[in-house]
Amino acid sequence: AVIAAAKAADEAAKAKKIFDPLHWREDFTLWKDQPQLVTPEGLSLGKPHTLFEIRAQQAGLRDLEKQRLLAERYGIMGVADDIARNSIKLNDPIKIKTNKGIEVEFKNPVGTIIKWTEQAPKDIDMIIEANLKSGNKGKILEGETAQIVQDAGVLEGTSLKLETPTKMPVGDIDILASSGTNKYIIEVKESVGAIRSSQIDKLTNPLHPNFFNHEGRQIIYYLENPIANGPEQLAKLKLLEEKGVRIISSPEELRGLFQP
């Protein structure tokens, strides 16, 4: 009985060490050919969740992301909260002048490098005009919204495409705006149903592999129709609220955002 108790105490100590962010090791491994998750200390944590396995392999993740994913897998929310509160520092972007314009390169906290090209005023004018003439209701709304922001004198970019150095698409930004010390990313949607949860995470969660809000800008969702139809859409609105995202649904309210 004494031996069994000592063994149980030893296993508990190992588990505590493993789940403590201060003791995570780079050689944490997910054994591809085994049906269970095994730590460097040899402690089996059971069969990995499929999503965890896919994302860990896909992103080539560093310690912070491994901690977060494992916290999600086992419901250890304190670990995830500690990471969010204490461990995240956003890197300053690198700007390079190219024949296409100023290229911006940002390395997010997980280590993913994301690139885009800054837009000159003439580029912005051309993009807005193209969106307004596109025939696509979503693009037309994006163009109209960008025009409102441009008329307020605070538009920095619109329809920005983001990608990795290998040209893999990461996401897009509908509108970049800056008013005094306030900086915004504005996503434009016709309805609640058009909101993508994955996009919200890329904008608000620094530990998402494709996080690209490098300045920690305030996120605004401009919804032409903010009425939720059904529990799924209500859940999307609740997610926006939980993430600190502001919803605006009229041109007047949008203009008011930029007034002193």
Side-chain angles (χ1 to χ4, degrees), residues 9-141:
D10 182 57
E11 291 297 318
K14 285 182 180 179
K16 183 178 185 301
K17 178 180 178 182
I18 289 162
F19 290 132
D20 185 343
L22 297 177
H23 293 92
W24 276 81
R25 290 167 43 177
E26 274 296 326
D27 58 348
F28 177 97
T29 55
L30 180 65
W31 292 81
K32 296 180 181 178
D33 300 327
Q34 297 186 19
Q36 58 185 3
L37 193 64
V38 180
T39 70
E41 289 83 0
L43 180 64
S44 171
L45 298 179
K47 189 173 181 179
H49 191 284
T50 303
L51 179 60
F52 170 82
E53 184 175 40
I54 291 172
R55 289 182 66 184
Q57 292 176 9
Q58 182 182 34
L61 301 171
R62 304 185 317 177
D63 269 16
L64 283 176
E65 182 70 357
K66 290 171 186 172
Q67 291 175 46
R68 185 182 74 81
L69 288 170
L70 195 61
E72 287 180 355
R73 166 70 173 91
Y74 291 97
I76 311 167
M77 297 313 297
V79 176
D81 291 343
D82 286 343
I83 294 167
R85 283 196 301 269
N86 303 319
S87 304
I88 304 303
K89 181 180 182 302
L90 299 182
N91 299 308
D92 291 329
I94 299 171
K95 295 190 176 185
I96 305 168
K97 189 172 183 179
T98 70
N99 57 357
K100 295 181 180 179
I102 303 297
E103 190 174 83
V104 184
E105 183 177 287
F106 167 59
K107 186 175 184 180
N108 71 19
V110 176
T112 306
I113 295 175
I114 297 172
K115 305 173 74 171
W116 65 95
T117 302
E118 288 187 348
Q119 296 170 342
K122 61 182 178 67
D123 299 321
I124 293 173
D125 289 340
M126 290 173 60
I127 293 168
I128 291 176
E129 185 178 357
N131 283 342
L132 291 173
K133 294 179 178 178
S134 70
N136 178 291
K137 287 181 64 177
K139 284 296 180 183
I140 292 172
L141 179 62

Side-chain angles (χ1 to χ4, degrees), residues 199-215:
Q199 181 79 348
I200 300 171
D201 220 22
K202 291 178 188 179
L203 291 165
T204 61
N205 178 9
L207 292 177
H208 189 285
N210 289 332
F211 173 79
F212 55 76
N213 184 4
H214 72 287
E215 295 176 297

